[in-house]
Amino acid sequence: MYTQAMDLPDPQAGTLQAVPAPAESALQQQFDGKMDADRKIEPQDWMPDAYRKTLVRQISQHAHSEIVGMQPEGNWISRAPSLKRKAILLAKVQDEGGHGLYLYSAGETLGTSRDQMLEGLHSGKAKYSSIFNYPTLTWADVGVIGWLVDGAAIMNQVPICRCSYGPYARAMIRICKEESFHQRQGFESLMVQMGGTPAQREMVQDAVNRWWWPVLAMFGPPDADSPNSAQGMRWGIKRISNDELRQKFVDATVPQARILGVTLPDPDLKWNEARAQHDYGVIDWDDFWAVVNGNGPCNKERLATRVKAHEDGQWVRDAALAHAAKQRARALKEAA
Ligand code: FAQ
């Protein structure tokens, strides 16, 4: 679907007349006009190099996050406590894989191949979300990932449905619908566990204690330390800032924690009447940057697992290419 837009006629080839390209300043003006009118930019439209580069960076990081994000919960598929939970978890992890694939397709419309994007991930050059470098120690972690990690992902991703780049915005609409199911299944699983034994309730509380702060950091550095935010906002790629989204997430999650009967591990978390928002404690940004820079608890394991999965899948890619070559040869023979 996305790649069709890349099938542009080549003015040098065939009978098409080469049309003189408008001057760059005129193109920039058209682009700025679209930005001002809040219109979408599509793959065939002219766009400044920096806009294209920013999108490739963000979309590929996002795709990598979805793909690496299959691992922490994937570890629990064979250990899910019932057939029902196994079926739900299988569907969820499969959805994350699908999200990664739509996003790689959206990235390809910008002229960067999937192989190039994957090379960035496998060589350790490209980033993916910090949150997937933490371990899933118990079954409660799976519920907490659904509730908090997917909850944070939705908060961040709903505004991207209005992103200025058409293919990214459209991919996000379906992704957000699926993330919403993920969040609800996590919350429901935790509700069941909280209605269980004291040991089960303790397990849920322990998982919340371990995930809460990394989830808050997942929204990215504070606005004042976020080098990409200002330009991302001007280009309509980012609609709401890191800090604003983090605040919205805290405000939405506090009442949910109350319903579940868990405590959020922050002694400074309290309602601020004047701001009509919650105050919360200080995030450990040193820990966040250590994880982003490859030194989190599971970075090495996650990357090694991803690279091995890619290498183990080489035969599938080879077979698909051989099949496509055979089909093409047959079609040519039949046409002759
Ligand atoms: N982890 O200037 P900013 C999910 C980097 S999907 C690692 O603020 P920006 C689904 C950032 O890249 C989760 N790195 O950057 C799921 C930049 O580095 P660079 C992923 C981070 O782009 C659920 C530098 O710090 N979602 O969870 C992180 O304006 C459950 C400076 O930061 C997306 O990718 C981080 N947390 O804002 C799957 C959403 N935060 O590239 C499985 C799309 C920041 O300059 C199970 N992305 N950095 O070298 C975005 O909205 C934005 O890119 C932000 C960062 C908000 C992540």
Side-chain angles (χ1 to χ4, degrees):
M1 148 190 174
Y2 295 118
T3 44
Q4 286 172 8
M6 298 295 289
D7 270 350
L8 301 178
D10 176 0
Q12 307 300 328
T15 53
L16 282 176
Q17 289 283 306
V19 181
E24 180 133 336
S25 60
L27 292 166
Q28 177 75 50
Q29 247 176 16
Q30 276 173 18
F31 175 87
D32 293 342
K34 281 190 189 147
M35 290 283 131
D36 293 344
D38 209 9
R39 288 195 15 228
K40 292 271 179 276
I41 303 296
E42 297 297 340
Q44 64 273 29
D45 294 339
W46 182 90
M47 60 188 90
D49 282 346
Y51 176 82
R52 187 185 297 276
K53 231 170 126 186
T54 294
L55 280 167
V56 170
R57 176 186 67 80
Q58 178 166 327
I59 296 173
S60 63
Q61 285 177 1
H62 194 165
H64 302 330
S65 303
E66 301 278 0
I67 297 292
V68 177
M70 296 167 79
Q71 293 184 35
E73 289 167 287
N75 280 339
W76 280 91
I77 292 172
S78 60
R79 293 177 286 167
S82 68
L83 185 58
K84 173 181 148 184
R85 296 291 170 198
K86 191 196 279 270
I88 294 172
L89 187 56
L90 262 175
K92 179 184 191 294
V93 172
Q94 219 167 301
D95 283 353
E96 309 298 2
H99 298 172
L101 300 186
Y102 316 146
L103 287 164
Y104 284 129
S105 298
E108 282 179 310
T109 65
L110 291 154
T112 301
S113 73
R114 189 171 304 208
D115 283 346
Q116 285 170 306
M117 291 185 261
L118 287 177
E119 208 283 313
L121 174 64
H122 297 160
S123 65
K125 271 187 284 189
K127 291 190 169 72
Y128 59 87
S129 182
S130 50
I131 198 69
F132 302 117
N133 293 304
Y134 294 88
T136 38
L137 303 181
T138 68
W139 172 250
D141 290 41
V142 172
V144 169
I145 290 182
W147 175 40
L148 295 180
V149 176
D150 284 279
I154 296 168
M155 195 56 89
N156 162 273
Q157 290 173 177
V158 165
I160 307 176
C161 297
R162 292 186 290 116
C163 156
S164 60
Y165 187 57
Y168 192 24
R170 289 190 289 273
M172 291 318 300
I173 292 170
R174 176 159 172 189
I175 291 178
C176 285
K177 285 191 180 147
E178 292 177 350
E179 299 293 19
S180 165
F181 151 68
H182 298 169
Q183 195 267 354
R184 277 183 251 173
Q185 67 78 36
F187 189 77
E188 192 269 342
S189 170
L190 294 178
M191 279 299 271
V192 171
Q193 292 173 61
M194 289 302 285
T197 63
Q200 284 172 313
R201 283 195 286 279
E202 231 169 81
M203 191 170 78
V204 173
Q205 184 61 59
D206 174 65
V208 171
N209 292 348
R210 285 181 287 106
W211 286 92
W212 176 249
W213 290 105
V215 166
L216 289 194
M218 197 182 149
F219 289 93
D223 295 349
D225 303 325
S226 163
N228 302 303
S229 272
Q231 186 61 69
M233 301 281 249
R234 272 198 293 278
W235 276 330
I237 295 172
K238 227 168 166 167
R239 298 288 184 176
I240 307 183
S241 81
N242 298 358
D243 285 332
E244 276 179 273
L245 287 171
R246 194 170 4 253
Q247 181 70 58
K248 278 160 82 79
F249 174 77
V250 171
D251 293 336
T253 308
V254 168
Q256 295 169 8
R258 214 170 288 133
I259 292 168
L260 266 181
V262 295
T263 310
L264 297 172
D266 178 359
D268 298 322
L269 184 64
K270 58 173 183 308
W271 180 250
N272 181 322
E273 202 62 55
R275 290 199 306 123
Q277 285 175 330
H278 290 86
D279 290 335
Y280 56 90
V282 179
I283 295 170
D284 183 347
W285 292 112
D286 290 341
D287 179 65
F288 169 78
W289 287 116
V291 175
V292 172
N293 291 322
N295 300 314
C298 300
N299 294 58
K300 290 183 183 60
E301 181 189 329
R302 298 286 185 249
L303 201 56
T305 304
R306 172 88 279 281
V307 170
K308 181 174 183 313
H310 186 74
E311 284 168 357
D312 288 351
Q314 186 59 46
W315 70 272
V316 179
R317 293 187 293 279
D318 290 345
L321 286 172
H323 179 69
K326 226 189 230 178
Q327 298 269 73
R328 250 192 328 270
R330 190 174 301 152
L332 278 175
K333 207 168 149 196
E334 279 168 11

